[in-house]
Amino acid sequence: MMKPFGSGPTVNGYVMMYMSRWKRFAVVLLLIWIAVTYLVISPLRCEGGTEDVSEFQNRLRTVSMQLESLKIQHNKLISQVKKSVGLNSNLKDIDMGSLFDSVGGPSEEYENLRRRVFSNTKEIWYFINHELTKLKKGDIKIEKLTDILEQVEHRKSFILSDQQKLQELDGYQDWRQQEAANVSDLVQKRLKYLQNPSNCRDARKVICNLNKGCGFGCQLHHIVYCLIFAYATERTLILNSKGWRYNTKGWEYVFYPISESCLTAYDDKVIQWPANYDPKVVSLPFIDSISQKPKFLPLAIPTDLAHRIVRFNGDPSSWWIGQMLKYVLKPKPAMQKAINETIAKMHFMRPIVGVHIRRTDKVGTEAAFHSIDEYMVHVKQYYDQLELTQHVDVRRVYLASDDANVLGDARSKYPDYEFLGDPSIAKTAATHRRYTPVSLTGLLVDLHMLAMSDYIVCTFSSQVGRVAYEMMQTNRVDASDSFYSLDDIYYFGGQNAHNRRAIMNHTPRSNQEIAFQAGDLIGVAGNHWNGFGRGTNKRTNMNGLIPWYKTADHLVLYPFPEYKHANERQNEL
C-alpha cells in the first residue's frame, strides 16, 4: 500500500515523536522526584551529623541541575516541533498555534500531501496514457501496447482506491463532516446578517441588475459575483430582476428573495462602480467589463476561514463560491414541488454518475464537440474503481443534455448501463425554447441531479457543468475529486489570475517546456490532461508547457470582513 506521507518528517510524525519522548521524560522525572523525596525524608528519619547534611545538600543540587537540564531539553523539543511545521505558500502567516488547538483534526500538511498523492497519481496516468496512445497509432505491436494501457489503468485504480481509504482510516472523517457543516453554517449566518440590516434605509447597498444576456448558469454566477462584492465591502445586495429573461416577474417569483427585509435602495442616489469616492449606494457593472478587478474576486477566499476550509476541502475557491450559491438558490414551494415530482419519476438511487453533455450553441464557438463515447470512458473508469471496494448492482448514469437525441443514443450504445434522464428537459433546453419557466424547471432538475451524483463527467467550458460542481461542494465535505472535465480546468468567469506555485525545480526536456525553480509563481492557462499544462513563469516571463505534478495551486487569501456580530444578530432575527 502506498504510504500517505513522503520520506521527510511530518507534523504527525513529530507529534508522535514528541509524545514518545515526553513519556520517557515523564518516567525519568518521576524516578528523580521519588529519589528527591527519599533523600529529603531520609535525613529527617535518622540522626545524622554535619557530613550527612552536607552530602544531602550536594545530592539535592545535583538533582536540581538534572531537572533544569531536562527542562531545557523539553523546551528545545517543543521548539523543534514548531519549526518543523511548514505551511504552504501564503498560509504561512496563519497562527501556528491553531495546528495544536483544542479543535483537533488533521494538519494542513497531512491534508495537502494526501490530496497531492491522489492528484499526482492521476497525472502519471494522463502522461502514460497520452504517450502510449500515440504509439498505438503506429505499427508497433498494438495488442501488446493495449494490454499495457489496460494494466496501467487497473494498477492506477488500485493506487487511487488505497489512497481514498486513508481518509476513512485516519480517524478524522467525523471531524471533517462536522467542521465542514460548522464553517458552512458560519458563512450562511454572515450572509443573512449582511442581507438583513437592522435599518435598511441607512444601510450601505450594492445594486445588481439581472439583465445579463446569457444563460442561467452565467446569470447565477453574475449574482454570485455581486454577493461576493457585497460581502467584501459590507453592503447589502439589492437584486433588480424585473423583466428577467427566464421569468419576467422576476427572481423572487421563482426563488426566495435574497433579503427578507431590505429590498430597495429607497431614493438614495445610485453611483456606478467604480467611483472616485465611497458612495452609499453603488451599481455594479458586469464582471467581464472590469479593467482592474478587486483582489477579493474569485478565486480568493476569506483569510479568517482559510485555515479551516483547507483542512476539509481540496478546492477552497469552488467551496466558497458554492456557499454563495447555497444562499441564493432557494426555490419557492411551487418550483420545489415541480422539481421533486420530476425527480421522483426517475427513481434516483446510488451509486450514480452524472453526465452533462452540452451541445447546440456551445459547439463550434466556446467548446469542441465531444461524443458520448468520450464521456463514457470516464464513467467506466469510475465504476471499475468503485467495484474494487464495493459491489455495484447497476451502473447508473444520470444524463443531462440540451440535445434530445443524446439519451436514446446512449441507451442503444451502452445497454449495460442504466440511464436516467428526461428527454422533455432536453427539448426545453433547445436554443429557441431555453428562456422559459418550463425550461428553468428542467434546468434546475438537471443541476440538482448532477450535484447529488457521486461523480460527474462534464465540460467546464459550460457554466452548467461548473455550477453543478459548485453545488456538489455544498452537499458533501469535499467534492474536489468527484468530477472529470473533458476540456477546461475549473474557473469562474471573469476571475483574477489563476496561479500555481512550483514545488520543485524543473529543467526543460524539450523546447516546448519552460524552466522554473521551487517557489516560482506560474500563471496557468489550463491542463492538457496529458501530464502537462500551459503556463507563464512570472519570474522569467517565459511561456510554455509545465509538468503539472511539479506545481500546486496557489491559494489567494483576502481579508474579508469577519462579521463578528453575525451570531448576535442571528438570535434576534
Side-chain angles (χ1 to χ4, degrees), residues 472-485:
M472 181 183 275
Q473 287 280 37
T474 70
N475 60 34
R476 65 191 66 189
V477 174
D478 187 358
S480 61
D481 289 321
S482 300
F483 74 92
Y484 186 91
S485 168

Side-chain angles (χ1 to χ4, degrees), residues 51-343:
E51 293 181 0
D52 293 330
V53 174
S54 177
E55 181 181 355
F56 166 73
Q57 291 175 341
N58 289 334
R59 290 181 181 178
L60 188 59
R61 279 194 294 269
T62 301
V63 170
S64 296
M65 292 173 62
Q66 290 175 340
L67 287 172
E68 185 63 27
S69 176
L70 283 174
K71 179 180 178 181
I72 293 172
Q73 292 181 50
H74 173 265
N75 291 337
K76 286 183 177 180
L77 186 56
I78 289 180
S79 176
Q80 182 182 13
V81 170
K82 289 184 177 181
K83 289 180 180 179
S84 71
V85 182
L87 293 180
N88 290 337
S89 180
N90 52 344
L91 286 175
K92 63 185 179 182
D93 297 327
I94 297 177
D95 181 18
M96 294 289 295
S98 57
L99 285 175
F100 302 94
D101 59 22
S102 59
V103 175
S107 69
E108 291 168 25
E109 181 181 22
Y110 175 84
E111 288 298 89
N112 287 333
L113 186 57
R114 177 177 63 81
R115 294 174 187 130
R116 190 188 307 167
V117 169
F118 189 91
S119 176
N120 287 351
T121 303
K122 291 189 295 183
E123 291 296 329
I124 292 173
W125 163 244
Y126 296 150
F127 175 78
I128 295 174
N129 181 61
H130 176 73
E131 294 301 317
L132 293 185
T133 299
K134 287 193 300 183
L135 292 177
K136 280 178 60 178
K137 296 177 181 179
D139 298 326
I140 308 174
K141 299 180 180 178
I142 295 178
E143 295 81 6
K144 177 61 177 177
L145 292 176
T146 301
D147 181 63
I148 291 175
L149 279 175
E150 291 176 352
Q151 287 195 46
V152 172
E153 180 184 353
H154 194 59
R155 292 167 185 261
K156 177 263 306 186
S157 297
F158 267 102
I159 294 173
L160 296 183
S161 179
D162 285 344
Q163 193 280 335
Q164 287 180 319
K165 291 177 185 176
L166 287 176
Q167 59 186 352
E168 300 172 11
L169 302 176
D170 62 15
Y172 291 123
Q173 193 62 11
D174 290 342
W175 176 89
R176 290 188 190 98
Q177 292 177 351
Q178 188 59 55
E179 180 70 351
N182 290 343
V183 181
S184 177
D185 288 346
L186 176 59
V187 173
Q188 297 303 307
K189 286 179 180 178
R190 291 179 176 183
L191 289 170
K192 189 170 184 178
Y193 170 81
L194 172 68
Q195 286 301 109
N196 294 277
S198 56
N199 188 325
C200 179
R201 182 176 289 275
D202 293 341
R204 285 156 44 90
K205 304 176 184 72
V206 56
I207 308 298
C208 185
N209 297 304
L210 195 56
N211 58 355
K212 194 171 185 179
C214 57
F216 182 67
C218 168
Q219 292 186 349
L220 267 183
H221 282 142
H222 177 60
I223 298 175
V224 167
Y225 143 67
C226 294
L227 188 56
I228 290 175
F229 188 102
Y231 187 99
T233 58
E234 297 184 88
R235 294 173 179 270
T236 299
L237 174 61
I238 306 296
L239 184 64
N240 288 340
S241 61
K242 295 298 181 182
W244 181 36
R245 66 192 311 183
Y246 280 95
N247 192 307
T248 56
K249 294 180 180 180
W251 176 270
E252 291 78 12
Y253 189 79
V254 181
F255 302 96
Y256 283 101
I258 295 178
S259 174
E260 299 170 8
S261 61
C262 196
L263 306 175
T264 178
Y266 294 95
D267 296 324
D268 291 327
K269 185 177 182 180
V270 178
I271 304 299
Q272 182 74 13
W273 186 87
N276 54 11
Y277 67 102
D278 188 22
K280 181 180 178 182
V281 182
V282 297
S283 177
L284 290 183
F286 298 145
I287 193 171
D288 319 78
S289 61
I290 302 176
S291 56
Q292 293 185 339
K293 294 182 172 63
K295 293 182 179 179
F296 55 71
L297 292 183
L299 301 165
I301 65 170
T303 301
D304 70 304
L305 300 178
H307 176 69
R308 299 180 67 179
I309 300 171
V310 297
R311 297 174 78 189
F312 63 78
N313 194 282
D315 190 358
S317 299
S318 67
W319 182 92
W320 171 242
I321 292 167
Q323 291 303 307
M324 302 294 117
L325 285 176
K326 181 178 180 178
Y327 188 80
V328 304
L329 204 57
K330 299 173 182 175
K332 281 190 170 180
M335 174 59 78
Q336 190 63 59
K337 181 182 178 182
I339 294 172
N340 293 342
E341 289 175 349
T342 304
I343 293 174

Side-chain angles (χ1 to χ4, degrees), residues 445-465:
V445 168
D446 279 347
L447 285 172
H448 179 86
M449 295 286 278
L450 291 170
M452 292 300 293
S453 297
D454 300 295
Y455 191 80
I456 55 175
V457 182
C458 60
T459 51
F460 274 167
S461 59
S462 167
Q463 299 263 11
V464 173

